[in-house]
Amino acid sequence: MRSSASSSPNSNNQKPPPLSPYLLSRLRDYEHRHKRCDPLSEPFQRYSQELDRVKNSPDSLVRKNADSASDCRYIVFTPFAGMGNRMLALSSAFLYALLTDRVLLVDFDPSMRGLFCDPFHNSTWLLPQEFTFMDRVKSREFKEVFSLGSLLKNQNQNQNQKLADVTSLLQLDLSTEYNDYDKLFYRDETQELMKNVPWLVLKSNQYFLPYLFLLPCFRTELDQLFPDKEIVFHHLARYLFNPSNQAWGRISRFYDAYLARAEQRIGLQIRVLDPENYPPSFILPHILRCIQDESRILPRLQRNETITSRIGTSKAVFIASLLTEFYSELKDMYWTRPIADGEETASVAVYRASHERNQESYSNSHNMNALVDIYLLSMCDFLVTTQVSTFGYVAFGLAGVSPWFLRDPSDYERKPSEPACHRAVSPEPCFQFHPTDYDPIAALHRGATGPAPVIMYCEDAIWGFKLANMMSF
């Protein structure tokens, strides 16, 4: 049975913006192509046999017959890093497949199995486990020969040669570890060179799709697909990610038991990278300053217990954090102390669904808990997240809600008088490690002489880029 994220309770009090008719039609076209070329298809089986005969040289991967597998071309995504990074990179890979008429397949390791349903009806996106060729592809020796960066580096003498004439498989490294030659992926001329290569194997832990909007070869198509640039991830994620029945059961049971009856739901995602130097006791006062004084999401409290009525707006606070102290402290505060005079009368209950002290990205149970937390956060009306956290990016992107960003703990130490948090202009995630020195502000000034700029600096990572409508600049 295929579950659907789009059937989740609409707890953001807003109707998700509709997909453009053109995007809908392109998704239907993609689904037909995926069914025709998926791992159960005859073209895929033929390609698999070809790859099994490959040796460690580009010559062995040159296709002997350009039409041997019809028009099926693939991009295989190999996820790594945390759950947020994986979902952001996978959504980027899917958009690239859509733009280049490829079929997206995923090479999920055991830590990802059983988390998502197949998004494409009567088909599969899972690379078969018996497809052992991927074990060779992931080796360092193979990358040195078949990576896009290596081939471009060694092809300086013949830069116009189509890569499909050299190999039928390319590795793409678009991770935070990529080098200058790997970054040549983000050029129109490279896209033309690799257009007909049948197999692309992508390694990425980044939300790289914003940069696709800067490539002229894709820009016209992307403008038709996404007239509103600030909900691109929202649309892709709600289409692509469908929690499995096991995951959806946990999500819906928790929501129904603890969050559904609240008049307001507040999601609080707190990631602390250095708890030894910045323990919860240091960070919590700044969080309170954000949620009580600056965003006014929760009411202030009196210092001492007094007899008072708690009747008022019911607010449910859902906390996602590896550290339990934030949950315990906030729960005790709002249970034992009354609302301060002059504040909105409210009853506040604090909840959490998991409590894992450490991130274990290659543990299936850990990733299941992470997925449940992400979706529960996405069902909240207001979100406060840790800046530069990809986990938070996915949550508010799915929700379609502009979050409040908590500042880095070191900022609280250096600039204690500055605001504890600030509001994002949109729910679009940030591409933190982009390939060039492109300047969105300069592009805005040049807008009258070229395509309208669609990239701005990120609010939480000022070195990064995010998609934006012109009115957001």
Side-chain angles (χ1 to χ4, degrees):
M1 178 179 177
R2 181 175 179 268
S3 67
S4 174
S6 60
S7 64
S8 64
N10 186 20
S11 43
N12 296 310
N13 292 328
Q14 59 184 17
K15 190 174 182 179
L19 279 68
S20 70
Y22 185 68
L23 176 56
L24 280 172
S25 69
R26 292 286 278 120
L27 290 174
R28 298 293 88 82
D29 290 343
Y30 175 85
E31 290 162 3
H32 291 307
R33 181 168 63 255
H34 193 100
K35 175 64 177 174
R36 188 176 71 250
C37 302
D38 77 358
L40 305 176
S41 69
E42 190 271 341
F44 179 88
Q45 297 300 322
R46 270 191 283 162
Y47 263 143
S48 300
Q49 294 171 9
E50 289 180 16
L51 291 177
D52 283 340
R53 295 191 291 269
V54 168
K55 300 176 182 178
N56 289 338
S57 71
D59 291 343
S60 67
L61 266 175
V62 175
R63 298 177 65 190
K64 304 297 187 259
N65 182 352
D67 298 320
S68 64
S70 183
D71 60 344
C72 295
R73 291 175 298 135
Y74 299 89
I75 180 165
V76 180
F77 176 71
T78 57
F80 75 105
M83 180 58 66
N85 296 81
R86 296 178 186 205
M87 294 176 73
L88 292 169
L90 184 47
S91 65
S92 300
F94 176 66
L95 179 58
Y96 184 72
L98 197 67
L99 291 170
T100 56
D101 294 328
R102 293 182 178 273
V103 170
L104 172 68
L105 302 178
V106 292
D107 182 28
F108 281 165
D109 62 30
S111 70
M112 292 291 288
R113 290 178 190 149
L115 301 186
F116 297 104
C117 294
D118 280 303
F120 314 118
H121 187 59
N122 289 331
S123 186
T124 182
W125 65 344
L126 297 175
L127 197 69
Q129 294 186 38
E130 59 270 20
F131 192 68
T132 56
F133 182 74
M134 287 301 297
D135 294 335
R136 296 171 60 192
V137 170
K138 295 174 184 177
S139 69
R140 180 179 295 276
E141 295 77 17
F142 207 85
K143 178 181 178 180
E144 290 175 354
V145 177
F146 294 107
S147 73
L148 174 66
S150 295
L151 285 171
L152 292 177
K153 181 179 179 180
N154 297 325
Q155 205 181 9
N156 286 333
Q157 299 83 1
N158 191 2
Q159 295 183 0
N160 294 321
Q161 184 179 18
K162 302 290 186 182
L163 290 174
D165 297 334
V166 178
T167 180
S168 58
L169 182 146
L170 277 176
Q171 284 184 306
L172 307 177
D173 187 347
L174 302 182
S175 71
T176 53
E177 303 167 349
Y178 58 178
N179 61 40
D180 288 341
Y181 284 101
D182 295 322
K183 294 173 186 178
L184 295 175
F185 169 88
Y186 297 104
R187 288 187 177 181
D188 261 19
E189 52 267 35
T190 305
Q191 292 300 318
E192 180 63 26
L193 290 176
M194 59 189 281
K195 181 169 62 176
N196 294 318
V197 176
W199 286 87
L200 302 179
V201 178
L202 171 66
K203 173 188 175 184
S204 181
N205 58 348
Q206 297 200 81
Y207 184 64
F208 63 84
L209 74 78
Y211 213 89
L212 300 179
F213 283 76
L214 297 180
L215 299 184
C217 61
F218 297 140
R219 179 60 189 274
T220 300
E221 175 81 354
L222 286 167
D223 283 345
Q224 290 182 273
L225 291 170
F226 303 104
D228 186 343
K229 306 300 185 289
E230 297 183 352
I231 50 173
V232 173
F233 177 76
H234 177 77
H235 282 325
L236 291 174
R238 289 175 70 89
Y239 172 80
L240 196 62
F241 300 120
N242 298 280
S244 66
N245 290 339
Q246 180 186 357
W248 190 249
R250 290 179 55 180
I251 294 163
S252 58
R253 285 190 295 272
F254 189 98
Y255 179 87
D256 291 341
Y258 302 110
L259 306 179
R261 286 178 289 278
E263 295 172 86
Q264 289 184 1
R265 285 162 286 275
I266 296 96
L268 184 55
Q269 180 261 334
I270 310 166
R271 179 69 192 274
V272 183
L273 296 177
D274 187 6
E276 291 189 5
N277 288 320
Y278 302 104
S281 59
F282 171 80
I283 298 172
L284 186 58
H286 300 286
I287 294 176
L288 292 174
R289 192 154 55 92
C290 170
I291 61 180
Q292 293 178 344
D293 300 337
E294 294 167 8
S295 68
R296 306 287 290 170
I297 293 172
L298 288 179
R300 297 184 184 92
L301 298 172
Q302 294 186 25
R303 293 188 176 276
N304 301 309
E305 178 62 86
T306 60
I307 299 175
T308 183
S309 170
R310 291 180 177 271
I311 298 173
T313 304
S314 61
K315 301 187 180 219
V317 180
F318 175 72
I319 296 181
S321 178
L322 293 173
L323 303 179
T324 62
E325 290 88 340
F326 297 109
Y327 162 76
S328 301
E329 290 291 327
L330 279 172
K331 180 182 179 182
D332 287 347
M333 282 182 189
Y334 279 96
W335 176 249
T336 62
R337 291 164 55 187
I339 305 301
D341 293 339
E343 292 288 299
E344 173 195 9
T345 304
S347 59
V348 179
V350 182
Y351 304 103
R352 67 176 177 187
S354 63
H355 50 283
E356 301 194 34
R357 193 77 185 178
N358 301 304
Q359 180 172 336
E360 303 288 345
S361 298
Y362 294 93
S363 161
N364 184 264
S365 61
H366 177 90
N367 286 337
M368 176 67 77
N369 288 335
L371 186 65
V372 170
D373 278 354
I374 284 172
Y375 270 86
L376 289 171
L377 285 168
S378 78
M379 295 174 180
C380 293
D381 306 301
F382 303 95
L383 283 169
V384 179
T385 69
T386 301
Q387 67 177 26
V388 307
S389 168
T390 55
F391 190 100
Y393 289 174
V394 176
F396 63 69
L398 278 167
V401 169
S402 299
W404 291 83
F405 284 126
L406 294 168
R407 287 164 51 204
D408 186 88
S410 62
D411 286 345
Y412 297 141
E413 189 172 51
R414 293 195 305 267
K415 305 171 184 177
S417 61
E418 290 195 1
C421 58
H422 55 280
R423 189 80 183 268
V425 300
S426 77
E428 263 299 298
C430 180
F431 180 16
Q432 295 181 13
F433 299 96
H434 51 81
T436 69
D437 295 327
Y438 174 85
D439 185 351
I441 304 302
L444 178 62
H445 295 315
R446 294 194 304 267
T449 60
V454 293
I455 298 290
M456 64 176 283
Y457 289 116
C458 304
E459 303 94 338
D460 62 322
I462 58 174
W463 61 89
F465 294 163
K466 66 182 287 184
L467 292 171
N469 298 322
M470 279 199 68
M471 66 186 70
S472 299
F473 282 80

